[in-house]
């Protein structure tokens, strides 16, 4: 319990029974890693609006920024916050099966990714969370990741060689950048901007919506649209919080989460469309004509090794997924 919640709780206890219906309001906190004006902020705001409305304000949703995603998931696990909305990047360290989604070039496009995550495969993966002390409520979206750096224009895989690239704290991504000849340096998102400023790393990779919302153009000059991996987003909540909801409130929360997902994805789509021009306006050199197949090929010799510790049957199902299946 945060100090604020403890105080609110103590205040509620001190009041005579039935004196203040306003205090019957239950607070819940959702942490996400970016400014409110972002695809995550859009998702969290839509959840807040829908859930508060559906429960006649019996619940109040507090939206907070925490750009250390691992820490936010831990907080949701132990219950100091109710929910985390962020990337799948560190999730595999809690629920190993989630790592299967982090394989480079696994998803062909956005429709493929959303279709898989909203269908049976996505549900099966969410079903793995409770045994790890978490509830996976709904898959959201971070987007296809692209490479930025401060050293040089990257046109082909060989240009990545020797670059120090920050990756998420994710062994699948680290191995992939190792295979490309980069020097992968894993760190939390909260450490990224200082590391780029101080030159601890030369580059990083993130979806356009993250680069735009977090002004990474201020510390990175070159952007290459590698689209090397799809980055799922996810809403994860504390099991105790979900279990304490009555059936109607739980249904309302699930519906609000779906509304949040839709708002989050709509914003990713919009940012992907407008973001490249925006980043050029802010001074970045953007390389758009990228031979993605060449990057995929450069990774191919390591792909088997990367997938060895993953679920081959699941990866095959994801690759073979077709609309309507
Ligand atoms: O979720 O750590 C990352 O690079 C994530 O993509 C970012 O925090 C947005």
């Amino acid at each position: 319990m945060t100090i604020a919640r403890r105080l609110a709780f103590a205040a509620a206890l001190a009041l005579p029974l039935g004196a203040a219906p306003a205090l019957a309001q239950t607070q819940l906190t959702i942490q996400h890693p970016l400014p409110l004006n972002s695809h995550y902020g859009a998702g969290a705001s839509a959840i807040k609006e829908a859930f508060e409305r559906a429960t006649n304000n019996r619940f109040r949703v507090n939206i907070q920024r925490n750009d250390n995603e691992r820490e936010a998931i831990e907080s949701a696990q132990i219950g100091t916050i109710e929910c985390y909305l962020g990337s799948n990047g560190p999730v595999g360290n809690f629920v190993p099966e989630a790592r299967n989604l982090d394989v480079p070039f696994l998803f062909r496009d956005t429709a493929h990714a959303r279709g898989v995550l909203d269908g049976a495969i996505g549900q099966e993966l969410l079903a793995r969370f409770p045994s790890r002390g978490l509830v996976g409520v709904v898959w959201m979206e971070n987007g296809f990741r692209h490479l930025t750096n401060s050293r040089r224009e990257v046109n082909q895989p060989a240009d990545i060689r020797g670059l120090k690239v920050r990756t998420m704290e994710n062994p699948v991504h680290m191995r992939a950048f190792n295979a490309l000849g980069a020097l992968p340096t894993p760190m939390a998102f909260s450490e990224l901007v200082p590391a780029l400023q101080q030159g601890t790393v030369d580059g990083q990779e993130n979806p356009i919506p993250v680069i735009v919302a977090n002004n990474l153009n201020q510390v990175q000059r070159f952007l290459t649209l590698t689209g090397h991996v799809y980055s799922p987003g996810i809403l994860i909540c504390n099991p105790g919080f979900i279990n304490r909801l009555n059936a109607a409130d739980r249904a309302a929360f699930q519906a609000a989460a779906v509304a949040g997902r839709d708002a989050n994805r709509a914003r990713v789509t919009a940012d992907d469309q407008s973001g490249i021009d925006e980043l050029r306006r802010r001074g970045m050199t953007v390389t758009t004509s990228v031979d993605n197949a060449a990057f995929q090929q450069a990774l191919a010799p390591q792909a088997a090794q990367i997938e060895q510790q993953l679920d081959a049957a699941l990866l095959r199902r994801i690759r073979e997924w077709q609309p309507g299946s």
Side-chain angles (χ1 to χ4, degrees), residues 106-153:
L106 177 64
F107 294 104
R108 295 180 288 277
D109 51 29
T110 299
H112 182 202
R114 293 178 184 177
V116 166
L117 293 173
D118 295 348
I121 296 173
Q123 287 306 312
E124 287 167 31
L125 286 170
L126 292 180
R128 318 304 299 212
F129 283 64
S131 66
R132 306 286 170 162
L134 293 164
V135 174
V137 181
V138 77
W139 290 106
M140 298 222 176
E141 187 158 87
N142 195 19
F144 277 94
R145 303 179 78 90
H146 306 289
L147 183 72
T148 69
N149 84 97
S150 56
R151 298 233 166 241
R152 54 180 173 258
E153 216 168 299

Short mmCIF file of all heavy atoms in Angstrom, two decimals, residues 106-153:
data_model
loop_
_atom_site.label_atom_id
_atom_site.label_comp_id
_atom_site.label_asym_id
_atom_site.label_seq_id
_atom_site.Cartn_x
_atom_site.Cartn_y
_atom_site.Cartn_z
N LEU A 106 9.20 -12.13 -36.55
CA LEU A 106 8.18 -13.17 -36.32
C LEU A 106 6.85 -12.75 -36.95
O LEU A 106 6.16 -13.55 -37.58
CB LEU A 106 8.01 -13.38 -34.81
CG LEU A 106 6.94 -14.37 -34.37
CD1 LEU A 106 7.28 -15.78 -34.85
CD2 LEU A 106 6.81 -14.37 -32.84
N PHE A 107 6.50 -11.48 -36.76
CA PHE A 107 5.21 -10.99 -37.29
C PHE A 107 5.43 -10.27 -38.61
O PHE A 107 6.33 -9.45 -38.74
CB PHE A 107 4.56 -10.06 -36.27
CG PHE A 107 4.15 -10.74 -34.99
CD1 PHE A 107 4.88 -10.60 -33.83
CD2 PHE A 107 3.02 -11.57 -34.97
CE1 PHE A 107 4.51 -11.26 -32.65
CE2 PHE A 107 2.63 -12.22 -33.81
CZ PHE A 107 3.38 -12.06 -32.64
N ARG A 108 4.59 -10.58 -39.59
CA ARG A 108 4.71 -9.98 -40.92
C ARG A 108 4.34 -8.50 -40.91
O ARG A 108 4.94 -7.68 -41.57
CB ARG A 108 3.78 -10.70 -41.92
CG ARG A 108 4.13 -12.15 -42.17
CD ARG A 108 3.16 -12.77 -43.17
NE ARG A 108 1.82 -13.00 -42.61
CZ ARG A 108 1.49 -14.06 -41.89
NH1 ARG A 108 2.38 -15.00 -41.63
NH2 ARG A 108 0.26 -14.22 -41.41
N ASP A 109 3.28 -8.21 -40.19
CA ASP A 109 2.77 -6.83 -40.15
C ASP A 109 1.87 -6.67 -38.93
O ASP A 109 1.67 -7.61 -38.16
CB ASP A 109 2.02 -6.48 -41.45
CG ASP A 109 0.97 -7.53 -41.79
OD1 ASP A 109 0.43 -8.17 -40.86
OD2 ASP A 109 0.66 -7.72 -42.98
N THR A 110 1.32 -5.48 -38.79
CA THR A 110 0.49 -5.17 -37.63
C THR A 110 -0.75 -6.08 -37.55
O THR A 110 -1.11 -6.55 -36.47
CB THR A 110 0.06 -3.69 -37.69
OG1 THR A 110 1.25 -2.91 -37.67
CG2 THR A 110 -0.79 -3.30 -36.51
N ALA A 111 -1.38 -6.32 -38.70
CA ALA A 111 -2.59 -7.15 -38.70
C ALA A 111 -2.27 -8.56 -38.19
O ALA A 111 -3.05 -9.16 -37.44
CB ALA A 111 -3.19 -7.20 -40.10
N HIS A 112 -1.12 -9.07 -38.59
CA HIS A 112 -0.69 -10.40 -38.13
C HIS A 112 -0.51 -10.39 -36.61
O HIS A 112 -1.03 -11.26 -35.90
CB HIS A 112 0.62 -10.76 -38.86
CG HIS A 112 1.16 -12.11 -38.52
ND1 HIS A 112 2.48 -12.44 -38.70
CD2 HIS A 112 0.59 -13.22 -37.99
CE1 HIS A 112 2.68 -13.70 -38.32
NE2 HIS A 112 1.54 -14.19 -37.88
N ALA A 113 0.20 -9.39 -36.11
CA ALA A 113 0.48 -9.32 -34.67
C ALA A 113 -0.82 -9.18 -33.87
O ALA A 113 -1.05 -9.92 -32.90
CB ALA A 113 1.42 -8.15 -34.38
N ARG A 114 -1.65 -8.23 -34.27
CA ARG A 114 -2.90 -8.01 -33.52
C ARG A 114 -3.79 -9.25 -33.59
O ARG A 114 -4.44 -9.62 -32.61
CB ARG A 114 -3.63 -6.78 -34.07
CG ARG A 114 -2.87 -5.48 -33.79
CD ARG A 114 -3.57 -4.27 -34.38
NE ARG A 114 -2.77 -3.06 -34.19
CZ ARG A 114 -3.12 -1.86 -34.66
NH1 ARG A 114 -4.25 -1.70 -35.34
NH2 ARG A 114 -2.34 -0.81 -34.44
N GLY A 115 -3.83 -9.88 -34.77
CA GLY A 115 -4.67 -11.07 -34.94
C GLY A 115 -4.22 -12.20 -34.01
O GLY A 115 -5.05 -12.84 -33.36
N VAL A 116 -2.92 -12.43 -33.95
CA VAL A 116 -2.39 -13.50 -33.09
C VAL A 116 -2.66 -13.17 -31.62
O VAL A 116 -3.13 -14.00 -30.85
CB VAL A 116 -0.87 -13.69 -33.33
CG1 VAL A 116 -0.24 -14.53 -32.23
CG2 VAL A 116 -0.63 -14.32 -34.70
N LEU A 117 -2.40 -11.92 -31.23
CA LEU A 117 -2.51 -11.56 -29.82
C LEU A 117 -3.97 -11.54 -29.35
O LEU A 117 -4.25 -11.85 -28.20
CB LEU A 117 -1.86 -10.19 -29.58
CG LEU A 117 -0.33 -10.18 -29.77
CD1 LEU A 117 0.21 -8.77 -29.69
CD2 LEU A 117 0.36 -11.08 -28.74
N ASP A 118 -4.89 -11.21 -30.25
CA ASP A 118 -6.30 -11.15 -29.86
C ASP A 118 -6.98 -12.52 -29.97
O ASP A 118 -8.11 -12.68 -29.52
CB ASP A 118 -7.07 -10.14 -30.73
CG ASP A 118 -6.57 -8.72 -30.48
OD1 ASP A 118 -5.83 -8.51 -29.52
OD2 ASP A 118 -6.94 -7.83 -31.29
N GLY A 119 -6.32 -13.48 -30.60
CA GLY A 119 -6.93 -14.78 -30.81
C GLY A 119 -6.49 -15.81 -29.78
O GLY A 119 -6.03 -15.46 -28.68
N ALA A 120 -6.63 -17.07 -30.15
CA ALA A 120 -6.37 -18.18 -29.22
C ALA A 120 -4.95 -18.14 -28.66
O ALA A 120 -4.74 -18.37 -27.45
CB ALA A 120 -6.63 -19.50 -29.94
N ILE A 121 -3.98 -17.83 -29.50
CA ILE A 121 -2.58 -17.86 -29.03
C ILE A 121 -2.36 -16.80 -27.95
O ILE A 121 -1.75 -17.06 -26.90
CB ILE A 121 -1.61 -17.65 -30.22
CG1 ILE A 121 -1.74 -18.82 -31.20
CG2 ILE A 121 -0.17 -17.49 -29.73
CD1 ILE A 121 -0.96 -18.65 -32.50
N GLY A 122 -2.88 -15.61 -28.19
CA GLY A 122 -2.75 -14.54 -27.20
C GLY A 122 -3.40 -14.93 -25.88
O GLY A 122 -2.84 -14.69 -24.80
N GLN A 123 -4.57 -15.55 -25.96
CA GLN A 123 -5.28 -15.98 -24.75
C GLN A 123 -4.50 -17.05 -24.01
O GLN A 123 -4.40 -17.04 -22.78
CB GLN A 123 -6.68 -16.50 -25.10
CG GLN A 123 -7.67 -15.41 -25.49
CD GLN A 123 -7.77 -14.31 -24.44
OE1 GLN A 123 -7.91 -14.58 -23.24
NE2 GLN A 123 -7.68 -13.06 -24.87
N GLU A 124 -3.94 -17.98 -24.77
CA GLU A 124 -3.15 -19.06 -24.13
C GLU A 124 -1.96 -18.47 -23.38
O GLU A 124 -1.62 -18.92 -22.29
CB GLU A 124 -2.64 -20.04 -25.20
CG GLU A 124 -3.72 -20.95 -25.76
CD GLU A 124 -3.24 -21.69 -27.02
OE1 GLU A 124 -2.04 -21.99 -27.13
OE2 GLU A 124 -4.09 -21.94 -27.89
N LEU A 125 -1.34 -17.47 -23.99
CA LEU A 125 -0.18 -16.85 -23.31
C LEU A 125 -0.63 -16.11 -22.06
O LEU A 125 0.01 -16.20 -21.01
CB LEU A 125 0.57 -15.93 -24.28
CG LEU A 125 1.40 -16.67 -25.35
CD1 LEU A 125 1.90 -15.70 -26.41
CD2 LEU A 125 2.58 -17.41 -24.71
N LEU A 126 -1.75 -15.40 -22.14
CA LEU A 126 -2.25 -14.68 -20.95
C LEU A 126 -2.56 -15.68 -19.82
O LEU A 126 -2.41 -15.35 -18.64
CB LEU A 126 -3.49 -13.85 -21.29
CG LEU A 126 -3.28 -12.64 -22.22
CD1 LEU A 126 -4.61 -11.92 -22.47
CD2 LEU A 126 -2.25 -11.66 -21.66
N ALA A 127 -2.98 -16.88 -20.21
CA ALA A 127 -3.33 -17.89 -19.20
C ALA A 127 -2.10 -18.38 -18.41
O ALA A 127 -2.24 -19.04 -17.39
CB ALA A 127 -4.02 -19.08 -19.87
N ARG A 128 -0.89 -18.06 -18.89
CA ARG A 128 0.32 -18.47 -18.17
C ARG A 128 0.66 -17.52 -17.03
O ARG A 128 1.51 -17.82 -16.20
CB ARG A 128 1.55 -18.53 -19.09
CG ARG A 128 1.36 -19.13 -20.45
CD ARG A 128 0.82 -20.52 -20.39
NE ARG A 128 1.70 -21.43 -19.69
CZ ARG A 128 1.82 -22.71 -19.99
NH1 ARG A 128 1.11 -23.22 -20.96
NH2 ARG A 128 2.64 -23.47 -19.30
N PHE A 129 0.04 -16.35 -17.01
CA PHE A 129 0.46 -15.33 -16.03
C PHE A 129 0.11 -15.66 -14.57
O PHE A 129 0.93 -15.43 -13.68
CB PHE A 129 -0.11 -13.95 -16.43
CG PHE A 129 0.66 -13.30 -17.56
CD1 PHE A 129 0.70 -13.88 -18.82
CD2 PHE A 129 1.35 -12.11 -17.36
CE1 PHE A 129 1.41 -13.29 -19.87
CE2 PHE A 129 2.07 -11.51 -18.39
CZ PHE A 129 2.10 -12.11 -19.65
N PRO A 130 -1.10 -16.19 -14.29
CA PRO A 130 -1.47 -16.38 -12.88
C PRO A 130 -0.49 -17.25 -12.10
O PRO A 130 -0.22 -16.99 -10.93
CB PRO A 130 -2.86 -17.02 -12.96
CG PRO A 130 -3.42 -16.47 -14.24
CD PRO A 130 -2.25 -16.42 -15.19
N SER A 131 0.08 -18.27 -12.73
CA SER A 131 1.01 -19.13 -11.98
C SER A 131 2.29 -18.37 -11.63
O SER A 131 3.11 -18.84 -10.83
CB SER A 131 1.35 -20.39 -12.78
OG SER A 131 2.07 -20.04 -13.94
N ARG A 132 2.48 -17.20 -12.22
CA ARG A 132 3.65 -16.35 -11.90
C ARG A 132 3.24 -15.16 -11.04
O ARG A 132 3.95 -14.16 -10.94
CB ARG A 132 4.29 -15.82 -13.18
CG ARG A 132 4.65 -16.92 -14.15
CD ARG A 132 5.87 -17.68 -13.67
NE ARG A 132 6.09 -18.88 -14.46
CZ ARG A 132 7.24 -19.54 -14.51
NH1 ARG A 132 8.26 -19.13 -13.80
NH2 ARG A 132 7.35 -20.61 -15.24
N GLY A 133 2.04 -15.24 -10.47
CA GLY A 133 1.61 -14.19 -9.55
C GLY A 133 1.20 -12.90 -10.23
O GLY A 133 1.31 -11.81 -9.65
N LEU A 134 0.73 -13.00 -11.48
CA LEU A 134 0.31 -11.82 -12.24
C LEU A 134 -0.94 -12.16 -13.05
O LEU A 134 -1.17 -13.32 -13.38
CB LEU A 134 1.42 -11.39 -13.22
CG LEU A 134 2.73 -10.86 -12.61
CD1 LEU A 134 3.83 -10.85 -13.67
CD2 LEU A 134 2.52 -9.47 -12.03
N VAL A 135 -1.72 -11.15 -13.37
CA VAL A 135 -2.84 -11.36 -14.29
C VAL A 135 -2.55 -10.59 -15.58
O VAL A 135 -2.35 -9.37 -15.54
CB VAL A 135 -4.19 -10.89 -13.68
CG1 VAL A 135 -5.30 -10.99 -14.72
CG2 VAL A 135 -4.54 -11.74 -12.46
N GLY A 136 -2.47 -11.30 -16.69
CA GLY A 136 -2.33 -10.65 -18.00
C GLY A 136 -3.73 -10.33 -18.49
O GLY A 136 -4.50 -11.24 -18.79
N VAL A 137 -4.09 -9.07 -18.52
CA VAL A 137 -5.49 -8.71 -18.80
C VAL A 137 -5.74 -8.65 -20.30
O VAL A 137 -6.69 -9.25 -20.81
CB VAL A 137 -5.85 -7.35 -18.15
CG1 VAL A 137 -7.31 -6.99 -18.43
CG2 VAL A 137 -5.61 -7.41 -16.65
N VAL A 138 -4.89 -7.92 -21.01
CA VAL A 138 -5.11 -7.80 -22.45
C VAL A 138 -3.78 -7.42 -23.12
O VAL A 138 -2.95 -6.72 -22.52
CB VAL A 138 -6.23 -6.75 -22.73
CG1 VAL A 138 -5.74 -5.33 -22.58
CG2 VAL A 138 -6.85 -6.93 -24.10
N TRP A 139 -3.58 -7.91 -24.34
CA TRP A 139 -2.40 -7.49 -25.12
C TRP A 139 -2.66 -6.13 -25.71
O TRP A 139 -3.75 -5.88 -26.25
CB TRP A 139 -2.10 -8.50 -26.23
CG TRP A 139 -1.59 -9.80 -25.70
CD1 TRP A 139 -2.29 -10.98 -25.64
CD2 TRP A 139 -0.30 -10.07 -25.13
NE1 TRP A 139 -1.51 -11.96 -25.07
CE2 TRP A 139 -0.29 -11.43 -24.74
CE3 TRP A 139 0.84 -9.29 -24.90
CZ2 TRP A 139 0.82 -12.02 -24.15
CZ3 TRP A 139 1.94 -9.89 -24.31
CH2 TRP A 139 1.93 -11.23 -23.94
N MET A 140 -1.70 -5.27 -25.62
CA MET A 140 -1.82 -3.94 -26.21
C MET A 140 -0.75 -3.82 -27.29
O MET A 140 -0.39 -4.82 -27.91
CB MET A 140 -1.68 -2.88 -25.13
CG MET A 140 -2.77 -2.98 -24.07
SD MET A 140 -3.35 -1.34 -23.63
CE MET A 140 -4.67 -1.74 -22.51
N GLU A 141 -0.22 -2.63 -27.51
CA GLU A 141 0.76 -2.49 -28.59
C GLU A 141 1.81 -1.43 -28.26
O GLU A 141 1.49 -0.36 -27.76
CB GLU A 141 0.05 -2.10 -29.89
CG GLU A 141 0.97 -2.10 -31.10
CD GLU A 141 0.19 -2.26 -32.39
OE1 GLU A 141 -0.26 -1.24 -32.93
OE2 GLU A 141 0.01 -3.42 -32.84
N ASN A 142 3.06 -1.78 -28.56
CA ASN A 142 4.14 -0.80 -28.53
C ASN A 142 4.51 -0.50 -29.99
O ASN A 142 4.65 0.65 -30.36
CB ASN A 142 5.31 -1.37 -27.72
CG ASN A 142 6.34 -0.33 -27.33
OD1 ASN A 142 6.05 0.86 -27.34
ND2 ASN A 142 7.53 -0.77 -27.00
N GLY A 143 4.63 -1.53 -30.80
CA GLY A 143 4.82 -1.33 -32.24
C GLY A 143 6.08 -1.95 -32.79
O GLY A 143 6.88 -2.54 -32.05
N PHE A 144 6.25 -1.84 -34.09
CA PHE A 144 7.46 -2.38 -34.73
C PHE A 144 8.65 -1.49 -34.37
O PHE A 144 8.58 -0.27 -34.46
CB PHE A 144 7.28 -2.46 -36.24
CG PHE A 144 6.54 -3.70 -36.67
CD1 PHE A 144 5.16 -3.69 -36.84
CD2 PHE A 144 7.22 -4.90 -36.84
CE1 PHE A 144 4.47 -4.84 -37.21
CE2 PHE A 144 6.55 -6.06 -37.21
CZ PHE A 144 5.17 -6.03 -37.38
N ARG A 145 9.74 -2.13 -34.00
CA ARG A 145 10.91 -1.40 -33.51
C ARG A 145 11.86 -1.06 -34.65
O ARG A 145 12.06 -1.85 -35.57
CB ARG A 145 11.63 -2.22 -32.43
CG ARG A 145 10.71 -2.57 -31.27
CD ARG A 145 11.42 -3.41 -30.21
NE ARG A 145 12.27 -2.61 -29.35
CZ ARG A 145 11.88 -2.03 -28.21
NH1 ARG A 145 10.61 -2.14 -27.81
NH2 ARG A 145 12.72 -1.34 -27.48
N HIS A 146 12.46 0.12 -34.54
CA HIS A 146 13.40 0.62 -35.55
C HIS A 146 14.67 1.09 -34.83
O HIS A 146 14.63 1.49 -33.67
CB HIS A 146 12.78 1.78 -36.33
CG HIS A 146 11.45 1.44 -36.94
ND1 HIS A 146 11.32 0.60 -38.01
CD2 HIS A 146 10.18 1.83 -36.61
CE1 HIS A 146 10.04 0.48 -38.33
NE2 HIS A 146 9.32 1.21 -37.49
N LEU A 147 15.76 1.11 -35.59
CA LEU A 147 17.07 1.43 -35.00
C LEU A 147 17.40 2.91 -35.12
O LEU A 147 17.24 3.50 -36.19
CB LEU A 147 18.14 0.60 -35.72
CG LEU A 147 19.56 0.74 -35.21
CD1 LEU A 147 19.72 0.06 -33.83
CD2 LEU A 147 20.56 0.13 -36.19
N THR A 148 17.87 3.50 -34.04
CA THR A 148 18.43 4.86 -34.11
C THR A 148 19.85 4.82 -33.59
O THR A 148 20.22 3.94 -32.81
CB THR A 148 17.64 5.88 -33.26
OG1 THR A 148 17.85 5.58 -31.86
CG2 THR A 148 16.17 5.88 -33.56
N ASN A 149 20.68 5.79 -34.04
CA ASN A 149 22.02 5.89 -33.48
C ASN A 149 22.57 7.29 -33.72
O ASN A 149 22.01 8.09 -34.47
CB ASN A 149 22.95 4.79 -34.02
CG ASN A 149 23.57 5.14 -35.35
OD1 ASN A 149 24.70 5.61 -35.42
ND2 ASN A 149 22.81 4.95 -36.44
N SER A 150 23.69 7.57 -33.06
CA SER A 150 24.26 8.92 -33.15
C SER A 150 25.51 8.95 -34.02
O SER A 150 26.11 10.00 -34.20
CB SER A 150 24.62 9.40 -31.73
OG SER A 150 25.49 8.45 -31.13
N ARG A 151 25.92 7.82 -34.57
CA ARG A 151 27.20 7.74 -35.28
C ARG A 151 27.10 7.88 -36.79
O ARG A 151 27.82 8.65 -37.39
CB ARG A 151 27.89 6.41 -34.99
CG ARG A 151 28.22 6.21 -33.56
CD ARG A 151 29.69 5.86 -33.37
NE ARG A 151 29.98 6.01 -31.96
CZ ARG A 151 30.87 6.84 -31.46
NH1 ARG A 151 31.60 7.59 -32.24
NH2 ARG A 151 31.04 6.92 -30.17
N ARG A 152 26.22 7.06 -37.39
CA ARG A 152 26.21 7.03 -38.86
C ARG A 152 24.87 6.55 -39.38
O ARG A 152 24.09 5.92 -38.67
CB ARG A 152 27.32 6.11 -39.37
CG ARG A 152 27.26 4.71 -38.78
CD ARG A 152 28.37 3.81 -39.32
NE ARG A 152 28.43 2.52 -38.64
CZ ARG A 152 29.30 2.20 -37.70
NH1 ARG A 152 30.21 3.06 -37.29
NH2 ARG A 152 29.28 0.99 -37.15
N GLU A 153 24.69 6.82 -40.67
CA GLU A 153 23.50 6.33 -41.35
C GLU A 153 23.63 4.81 -41.48
O GLU A 153 24.65 4.32 -41.95
CB GLU A 153 23.45 6.95 -42.75
CG GLU A 153 22.06 7.28 -43.21
CD GLU A 153 22.09 8.15 -44.46
OE1 GLU A 153 22.63 9.27 -44.39
OE2 GLU A 153 21.60 7.67 -45.48
#
